[in-house]
Amino acid sequence: MNNLQACIFDMDGVLVSTEKYHFLAWKELAESLGFTIDEVFNEQLKGVSRAVCIDLILQHGGIDVSADEKQHLSDKKNTKYLKYISTISRNDVLPGVVSLLEELRKHGIKTAVGSASKNAPFLLEKLELTTFFDVLVDGTQISQPKPHPEVFLKGAEKMAVQPQNCIVFEDAQSGVQAAKSAGMYCVGIGNPAILSEADMCVNGVYEISYLDLAIL
Ligand code: BG6
Ligand code: MG
């Protein structure tokens, strides 16, 4: 890329380690239905909407339920998840996030959150991160879940920047695919073997500074 103008951050697993709580809540739900899910299966759940997650889980367990029951089960999972995150605070923001956001703002780079989560506004408030971002696109604002690029394209549009001038930070396979389909540069957070479509991979935001991004 030659003209960095904006950075778009996925939330769960990039700004805060909430992926483990999503996993635990889904696992408890699966176990209440008589089967289980493991971390390998969980990779498919990362980045995708709650509605897609419940479909994947029920399919995995070989269970068919009515639309009403499906809604009830995904509400149940969300109640469990909200319990897990009830004590989350600013201390849970992942290392390097606040300093990178401050650096980006200092250099006039716009910032957005691009998350599939409908809990994103609530969680960002709890983390005291809301004001660090110019734009928030969450699960309530999109009709097509990742790997569709809608969430990131909407973020770019709201910031009035072109996709090719954006860098996305993502920890999920579906999110990396969404960023690439949007025509954006993608920094994968996590295992490069899993995030093989990312342009580069790091272990966490703490490994990245504004200067690293400016020379890409
Ligand atoms: C994504 C997570 O950010 O949001 C998924 O990676 C999660 O694991 C999805 O299922 C939807 O989140 P929520 O909070 O709307 O259930
Ligand atoms: Mg994520």
Side-chain angles (χ1 to χ4, degrees), residues 10-13 18-19 22-23 26 42 44-54 74 77-78 81-82 85 114-120 123 139-140 146 170-172 174:
D10 171 50
M11 179 184 71
D12 294 306
T18 34
E19 283 304 354
H22 280 295
F23 173 60
W26 284 125
N42 189 53
Q44 295 173 54
L45 305 181
K46 289 187 184 173
V48 297
S49 65
R50 202 182 305 166
V52 172
C53 288
I54 187 72
S74 75
K77 179 269 174 176
N78 197 48
Y81 173 69
L82 289 176
I85 63 164
S115 170
S117 174
K118 293 183 173 171
N119 293 304
L123 198 51
T140 64
K146 298 172 186 176
E170 252 300 344
D171 71 313
S174 59

Side-chain angles (χ1 to χ4, degrees), residues 19-177:
E19 283 304 354
K20 59 185 180 224
Y21 301 129
H22 280 295
F23 173 60
L24 288 173
W26 284 125
K27 191 166 182 284
E28 279 172 28
L29 184 83
E31 286 170 1
S32 75
L33 297 170
F35 64 98
T36 194
I37 57 169
D38 62 17
E39 304 244 9
V40 174
F41 175 79
N42 189 53
E43 283 304 321
Q44 295 173 54
L45 305 181
K46 289 187 184 173
V48 297
S49 65
R50 202 182 305 166
V52 172
C53 288
I54 187 72
D55 280 343
L56 289 169
I57 285 170
L58 293 175
Q59 202 183 355
H60 187 67
I63 290 177
D64 198 15
V65 299
S66 66
D68 277 358
E69 178 61 5
K70 211 185 268 184
Q71 185 59 50
H72 167 71
L73 291 172
S74 75
D75 289 349
K76 212 167 138 186
K77 179 269 174 176
N78 197 48
T79 305
K80 289 175 191 291
Y81 173 69
L82 289 176
K83 229 174 251 171
Y84 277 119
I85 63 164
S86 62
T87 56
I88 268 183
S89 70
R90 182 159 200 163
N91 296 334
D92 295 289
V93 176
L94 284 169
V97 167
V98 169
S99 56
L100 181 60
L101 289 170
E102 282 172 345
E103 249 192 310
L104 291 172
R105 190 152 275 179
K106 198 172 96 194
H107 288 91
I109 307 298
K110 292 191 175 144
T111 54
V113 171
S115 170
S117 174
K118 293 183 173 171
N119 293 304
F122 166 70
L123 198 51
L124 291 170
E125 275 298 302
K126 277 180 85 73
L127 297 168
E128 297 175 36
L129 282 182
T130 310
T131 55
F132 283 91
F133 295 97
D134 299 306
V135 158
L136 163 63
V137 183
D138 65 36
T140 64
Q141 300 172 47
I142 49 169
S143 53
Q144 317 244 42
K146 298 172 186 176
H148 192 282
E150 184 185 3
V151 64
F152 296 135
L153 291 174
K154 202 163 200 165
E157 195 187 314
K158 282 186 164 191
M159 291 187 284
V161 297
Q162 293 302 310
Q164 66 269 24
N165 301 128
C166 295
I167 295 181
V168 170
F169 292 79
E170 252 300 344
D171 71 313
Q173 243 170 11
S174 59
V176 171
Q177 285 163 0

